[in-house]
Amino acid sequence: LQVEITLADVDKNREAVLAKARELHAKYLDDVRGAMILAGEQQAKGNPDQAIKIFEDVLAVDHNNAQAYNQIGYYYGYRGDYDRAIDNLTKYQFISPDNANPFDSLGENQAYSGRYNEAIENLNRALAIKPDFAPAYQHLGVAYEGMGEYAKAVESYEKAAELDETDSMRREYLTLAVRASLIGGDAEGARKLLERIAKFPVDPKSDYARVGPAFVAILLDLSESKADDAERRLNELKPTLEALFGENSKAGKMPPAMKPHFPQWNFLMALALEKQGRADEALKLYETNARPPNPFYDFNDRRWIMEGRAKVAEIVARKGDLDRAEKLIAENRKWNPSWAPCRPSETAVAQLRRAKVLAASK
């Protein structure tokens, strides 16, 4: 069954992967791989409770299954149930005390939940066990971004890229560094990182080959304040993204109910429009990210929602709808009480509220 799942995965036959995973899970409840596939499917459908139940079934027959505790911890973390997430991840760490991954899992969940000092402590413990553990550096980057220490975030992402052995992951880590540089206002640093990314060889058969270089060019435009050029490139790229989604959907590589949604494209286009003074057009795109058509899958999906909400809050507050703006910020803070990339929007809303209160008191 394990071999058949692997073969189906190589063939990109998602339905066959799921069918074999169901068979595997039914026959061997303690098998983590089948459980991960089925739980991931439930999460993609917006059923996190079902995802958790699948791993609880694993624990029912294998009480000390470390990976089951790890996965349950993440699913609770994604939905913002911090205490349950940490409870399960602490059990994972207790079972595997000499393993770097439990400390990394704890640190990642704490970083996305706003417990930055605890996150950094656990991620450094992971690195003390395994100094070349690239994901721990990635999650240090997340913690430093959340704190607003963007230079340290960039340094951490670059270290992750240095340690990883694959070009695809090096590119991914450096792209995270670009994002942190741009948010932190270091346009020159972002430009240098993008030039490094552009030098990586690209597999012509990969999906990235069809969209990645264009995104690099768009980010370069934005780093150089060429918003109109970025808008033009984004418009040229959109049909390719839609075609790629259609092909992957037809090939069964994603859940049948999945709707086209491109949060990175939306965010970059909204930024380009804002830079040109077209806030109303940007608002529609930020709102799409804030209320996506599909269930969010993981922390990165959740991040697009948070930052979309923050931008919507800022724009509607400037239009006078402070109540809606403050509700959006309150929703974000249920997930993370202090996420620095959202802070400029939160500050703008707070200043507008103070101005309104002062005006009313005169």
Side-chain angles (χ1 to χ4, degrees):
L1 286 169
Q2 292 276 8
V3 171
E4 287 171 352
I5 287 173
T6 301
L7 290 170
D9 190 46
V10 169
D11 291 337
K12 309 296 184 185
N13 187 338
R14 181 174 161 278
E15 286 305 315
V17 169
L18 290 170
K20 292 297 177 182
R22 291 187 195 102
E23 186 178 352
L24 179 62
H25 187 61
K27 290 182 177 180
Y28 306 98
L29 269 179
D30 61 341
D31 181 85
V32 172
R33 186 181 184 193
M36 288 182 72
I37 292 167
L38 298 179
E41 176 74 358
Q42 291 301 320
Q43 180 74 357
K45 290 179 177 179
N47 302 322
D49 288 343
Q50 284 298 108
I52 291 168
K53 175 65 168 58
I54 289 167
F55 280 105
E56 288 176 340
D57 290 343
V58 174
L59 289 173
V61 296
D62 181 4
H63 305 307
N64 292 320
N65 191 301
Q67 279 302 317
Y69 284 116
N70 188 38
Q71 295 301 314
I72 291 172
Y74 270 101
Y75 285 122
Y76 277 124
Y78 294 154
R79 71 186 197 182
D81 193 336
Y82 176 78
D83 290 338
R84 287 186 180 181
I86 296 305
D87 179 57
N88 281 277
L89 293 171
T90 301
K91 290 173 182 175
Y92 174 33
Q93 181 269 323
F94 179 79
I95 293 168
S96 302
D98 299 324
N99 182 354
N101 198 63
F103 296 103
D104 176 63
S105 297
L106 281 163
E108 181 180 4
N109 275 266
Q110 288 164 334
Y112 279 108
S113 302
R115 280 81 171 181
Y116 303 120
N117 291 331
E118 295 167 77
I120 291 167
E121 179 182 349
N122 276 309
L123 292 165
N124 281 325
R125 290 177 75 182
L127 290 167
I129 296 169
K130 186 174 172 55
D132 61 348
F133 194 37
Y137 279 106
Q138 176 196 354
H139 301 138
L140 276 172
V142 173
Y144 286 127
E145 266 198 270
M147 297 169 74
E149 296 189 23
Y150 296 110
K152 286 186 177 181
V154 170
E155 183 181 342
S156 296
Y157 291 135
E158 287 186 290
K159 184 65 175 178
E162 176 189 322
L163 291 171
D164 205 276
E165 296 179 355
T166 65
D167 285 342
S168 62
M169 286 306 302
R170 291 189 189 109
R171 184 164 47 231
E172 183 173 328
Y173 291 139
L174 290 179
T175 300
L176 293 173
V178 170
R179 189 173 180 176
S181 292
L182 288 173
I183 294 172
D186 185 4
E188 178 61 18
R191 186 184 63 77
K192 289 179 179 178
L193 287 163
L194 287 163
E195 289 173 352
R196 286 173 61 187
I197 292 169
K199 292 177 181 177
F200 285 115
V202 177
D203 179 359
K205 296 180 181 179
S206 72
D207 289 349
Y208 179 86
R210 294 171 61 178
V211 299
F215 271 121
V216 170
I218 290 159
L219 287 164
L220 275 169
D221 285 338
L222 289 172
S223 72
E224 296 171 357
S225 299
K226 298 177 180 177
D228 52 345
D229 288 340
E231 180 189 2
R232 174 181 54 78
R233 291 186 199 273
L234 284 160
N235 282 324
E236 291 170 354
L237 178 61
K238 187 69 173 289
T240 303
L241 289 172
E242 292 170 338
L244 192 56
F245 179 91
E247 292 166 15
N248 287 335
S249 181
K250 187 176 180 180
K253 297 179 184 178
M254 57 185 69
M258 189 76 70
K259 296 177 181 178
H261 177 55
F262 314 108
Q264 183 179 10
W265 188 95
N266 291 340
F267 204 88
L268 293 177
M269 178 61 89
L271 283 178
L273 293 170
E274 268 198 296
K275 288 177 182 293
Q276 298 177 68
R278 295 154 65 185
D280 287 344
E281 295 173 71
L283 176 60
K284 294 176 183 178
L285 294 166
Y286 288 133
E287 285 184 322
T288 299
N289 277 7
R291 291 182 295 181
N294 306 309
F296 71 84
Y297 189 80
D298 57 16
F299 285 129
N300 192 54
D301 276 359
R302 208 178 77 172
R303 176 174 176 170
W304 288 117
I305 295 171
M306 288 177 60
E307 293 177 18
R309 281 178 186 162
K311 294 298 292 186
V312 171
E314 180 180 352
I315 293 172
V316 300
R318 295 190 190 284
K319 290 174 169 289
D321 194 346
L322 282 165
D323 289 343
R324 183 187 175 199
E326 289 166 344
K327 285 179 182 178
L328 288 165
I329 290 170
E331 286 177 26
N332 273 354
R333 288 177 175 168
K334 291 177 184 176
W335 280 341
N336 187 321
S338 178
W339 181 245
C342 295
R343 205 168 292 151
S345 295
E346 293 171 356
T347 300
V349 172
Q351 289 173 341
L352 288 164
R353 172 61 76 185
R354 278 196 296 273
K356 185 174 182 179
V357 170
L358 287 171
S361 66
K362 291 181 180 178

